Amino acid sequence: MEQRGIELVPASERYGRPRDLLFLWAGTTTTVFTVVYGTIVVAMGLSFWQAVAAIVIGNLLAFPLVGFSSIQGMQHGTSTMAISRAAYGNKGARVLGFFGWLNMVGFEAGGMVMITLAGLTLLKQAGVEGEGLGLKVAIVLIAAVIQLILPLIGHAAVMKAQKYLTWVFVAMFVVMAILVAPKANLTAGGSADFSTFTLAVMLVMSGGGLSWAPLGGDYSRYLPVDSSRKAVFGYAFLGGFVPYLLLMILGAAVATVVTNASDPISGLPGALPSWFVVPYLLLTVVTLFAANTTDLYSSGLNLQAAGIRIKRWAAVVLDLIFCVIITFVAITSDSFNTMLNAFLGLVVVWLAPWAGIYVTDWLRRKGVYDAASLFDESGPGQIRWAGLIAQAVGMLAAGLWLNSSVYVGWLSSATGGSDFSIFAGFLVAGVVYAALDRRAVPVKELAHA
């Protein structure tokens, strides 16, 4: 079992190759959820080809952030949210670590809810009828035990498992694409206006590369410090970008066959032959376990980055307990499930400004940090107001141009419902941070490298 949390990984304990990141991210992102994102884009009123354009643009803009944060993890030997301390201060960054943890718990709970529903459907296919609370609780608890194994063991187990799972997932989705392709009507769908198109691009970005960006360094931190930066960036980028691109386009094609394809359990299987429904449901369960494994491992690190003094394995267990509680509430309350989905739709409000500040800080430092100082809780600069103020202003800018199911910002309303929340949050936060942070930035070689 891995004992290290966000502590620096010394050179003597580094291992692996940059291409391992390709399998890690492919195994994580090759899921039914990714297909569903593509179906939602068409359900928003876009034609198939408009959806393809939104999918390409959104993923091209967002997934470089995953490659970028992966470079930082490799260079400095710690998690992405720990590196964020350079901009916010060691104590000031705790609020961002908490946001990151909350973000992961929300996505994990969403995955657990889908696993539970898929499990109930599989049991029904096997002749086991029942929608009672007891059966749902049993499935959630069994799923939680299975879900705990890989994140609890740690980094090496997660990396190895995702490598093998990737090939299984790819094979199954290729079969699924072959089955759907003859039925797809690529001329179907509406013709959305520009405002709706911007909403689709924001959905693709927030559900893809932007949401995974805070996890990049978590999986590259064990790579040897002399690993090629280009290789680290390229493999991390391609591992997420290619599956998202292809599976979202597959989802858009499915949406031209089944009108309620955005429901991955009772809707999307309508596009498949009956003999493939059970393999599809099994695929749903296993891919969601894989994605949740990555989330659960990183959420434990984020809890440490939030200032909670707890061992990594204990953080994983605590995180799963919160996730199970949320899942229980979600499966017994339709309104809570709606609230959970709304929460997941609002994560861009903090993620986009964080990304803008993270990139700007890296540019100012020319990519080199004094990694040891990120863990010094007695030195100067424990709270860096430049980063916190820029984060707050960036969140305000993102909120003003947000168009979600629970909140529509003033700028969004004034521009016909368009959504530029990610661009606004990223750019405004980055510019404000660059203007406020006038301190000298020492450039040091890493002591552990």
Side-chain angles (χ1 to χ4, degrees), residues 7-264:
E7 303 95 325
L8 299 178
V9 181
S12 60
E13 296 184 28
R14 302 290 192 100
Y15 66 91
R17 295 166 294 183
R19 69 181 182 185
D20 295 336
L21 297 176
L22 177 70
F23 295 103
L24 179 280
W25 286 112
T28 297
T29 57
T30 306
T31 72
V32 171
F33 258 154
T34 308
V35 177
V36 169
Y37 278 123
T39 69
I40 294 174
V41 171
V42 172
M44 294 170 69
L46 277 70
S47 69
F48 174 79
W49 293 110
Q50 283 181 321
V52 170
I55 289 167
V56 171
I57 293 171
N59 284 311
L60 272 177
L61 291 174
F63 268 105
L65 292 170
V66 179
F68 175 76
S69 61
S70 296
I71 294 175
Q72 304 309 303
M74 177 272 293
Q75 286 184 298
H76 305 100
T78 187
S79 70
T80 299
M81 296 313 293
I83 295 173
S84 292
R85 291 175 172 178
Y88 300 94
N90 292 5
K91 294 181 179 179
R94 290 177 180 177
V95 65
L96 277 301
F98 176 75
F99 283 162
W101 172 77
L102 200 62
N103 186 31
M104 291 297 97
V105 172
F107 278 108
E108 291 160 27
M112 288 288 282
V113 169
M114 287 297 102
I115 289 171
T116 303
L117 296 177
L120 288 170
T121 305
L122 279 169
L123 290 175
K124 188 177 294 185
Q125 291 279 338
V128 179
E129 297 288 340
E131 292 288 341
L133 180 61
L135 183 59
K136 293 179 180 178
V137 169
I139 292 176
V140 172
L141 292 177
I142 293 172
V145 172
I146 296 172
Q147 186 69 80
L148 182 63
I149 297 172
L150 289 175
L152 191 63
I153 298 174
H155 183 273
V158 173
M159 298 294 287
K160 186 175 288 290
Q162 294 287 33
K163 179 178 180 179
Y164 294 111
L165 288 174
T166 296
W167 295 111
V168 177
F169 296 165
V170 168
M172 291 293 287
F173 278 112
V174 167
V175 173
M176 183 175 169
I178 292 172
L179 295 173
V180 170
K183 303 178 182 179
N185 180 7
L186 304 188
T187 62
S191 180
D193 58 19
F194 179 72
S195 295
T196 305
F197 184 80
T198 64
L199 283 170
V201 172
M202 294 303 109
L203 170 70
V204 172
M205 293 181 69
S206 61
L210 182 63
S211 63
W212 293 116
L215 282 64
D218 303 0
Y219 299 97
S220 62
R221 63 199 176 108
Y222 277 97
L223 290 175
V225 74
D226 60 353
S227 299
S228 166
R229 296 185 188 184
K230 291 182 179 179
V232 170
F233 177 90
Y235 283 121
F237 168 74
L238 291 174
F241 173 75
V242 174
Y244 257 69
L245 183 69
L246 297 180
L247 292 187
M248 281 189 175
I249 292 175
L250 173 60
V254 170
T256 68
V257 180
V258 181
T259 56
N260 62 337
S262 57
D263 182 342

Side-chain angles (χ1 to χ4, degrees), residues 253 323 327 414:
C323 178
T327 304

Side-chain angles (χ1 to χ4, degrees), residues 367-378:
V368 181
Y369 293 78
D370 178 6
S373 70
L374 300 175
F375 299 90
D376 181 4
E377 297 186 357
S378 60

